[in-house]
Amino acid sequence: MESMQQQTINSRHVISLLVDNQNGVLARVASLFCRRGFNIDSLTVSATNDPKISRITVTLNGDEQALSQLILQTERLEVTRQIFELDLEKSLQRELLLLKVACNNQNRAELREISSIYKAKIIDLSPDSMVFELTGKPDKIDAFLTMFDGYEILELCRTGVTALERGGKHQHMQKPAQEVREAQLPLPGTHCPQE
């Protein structure tokens, strides 16, 4: 029973936000997550097909109830157009890794073999190092990095997860802007429920 509770508490979530593209939005969203006690594992910000809107993708671990509260509070921010959790099985998630590893004449062939198995590209080669580029799901990136446990990693850079749902437009994407605003901001003469 305790392990089930622990699993719920530590479950991984990917949250997608569509926000107004303006100064300070990222700081406001990140500080809200921090105030609610969530440790952000990865955070990416990207353009969308609408220049007035940006997409923020946040990966974090946490419990369902606290996450629901966080989503409700983030939805109330005036800059938030949409916020929703991505279903891990119904979404496409990708991450980019750049990895610089020390090499010599003895281990260069081994490193090439590892990169070939994972379909990583060698994008730089010097007498004492190799730089690999790999794009894939986070668990593929993790598995690739595990293969380098016995080697000297000189530098490493991961972009964090970026994700989209599979298929066409989804229900949460079809709301008109006015309906989104009404859901976020209390109408005149009303007030937000107390937390």
Side-chain angles (χ1 to χ4, degrees), residues 69-175:
Q69 279 293 322
L70 175 68
I71 288 174
L72 283 172
Q73 287 193 331
T74 309
E75 192 174 41
R76 289 183 193 148
L77 291 175
E78 62 195 35
V79 294
T80 305
R81 298 286 186 100
Q82 292 287 332
I83 177 169
F84 47 92
E85 182 176 1
L86 290 165
D87 183 329
L88 301 182
E89 293 176 6
K90 296 178 183 174
S91 61
L92 300 166
Q93 299 179 24
R94 293 295 181 267
E95 192 172 357
L96 170 67
L97 169 74
L98 294 178
L99 176 69
K100 186 189 291 183
V101 181
C103 70
N104 52 42
N105 289 335
Q106 284 72 44
N107 66 12
R108 194 170 285 128
E110 297 168 17
L111 295 172
R112 278 200 171 111
E113 189 175 343
I114 292 170
S115 71
S116 172
I117 290 167
Y118 282 86
K119 296 185 170 53
K121 294 178 187 172
I122 299 169
I123 57 172
D124 187 67
L125 179 61
S126 63
D128 59 353
S129 72
M130 296 172 85
V131 179
F132 301 96
E133 175 189 316
L134 179 64
T135 303
K137 295 178 182 177
D139 54 354
K140 180 181 179 181
I141 304 282
D142 293 338
F144 182 67
L145 287 171
T146 302
M147 297 303 297
F148 291 90
D149 282 349
Y151 299 93
E152 184 186 355
I153 294 177
L154 301 174
E155 290 182 83
L156 180 156
C157 182
R158 291 177 76 159
T159 59
V161 174
T162 187
L164 287 176
E165 287 184 312
R166 295 177 184 273
K169 256 190 175 181
H170 294 272
Q171 195 59 41
H172 55 258
M173 299 290 285
Q174 294 173 348
K175 290 182 185 173

Side-chain angles (χ1 to χ4, degrees), residues 39-74:
N39 183 35
I40 294 173
D41 293 332
S42 79
L43 184 148
T44 61
V45 184
S46 60
T48 66
N49 52 319
D50 183 341
K52 291 181 261 181
I53 298 173
S54 294
R55 181 184 297 277
I56 300 175
T57 307
V58 183
T59 307
L60 47 79
N61 286 285
D63 116 332
E64 297 284 342
Q65 189 175 356
L67 183 68
S68 295
Q69 279 293 322
L70 175 68
I71 288 174
L72 283 172
Q73 287 193 331
T74 309

Side-chain angles (χ1 to χ4, degrees), residues 30-42:
S31 68
L32 178 59
F33 277 54
C34 184
R35 284 197 310 271
R36 295 296 299 176
F38 281 92
N39 183 35
I40 294 173
D41 293 332
S42 79

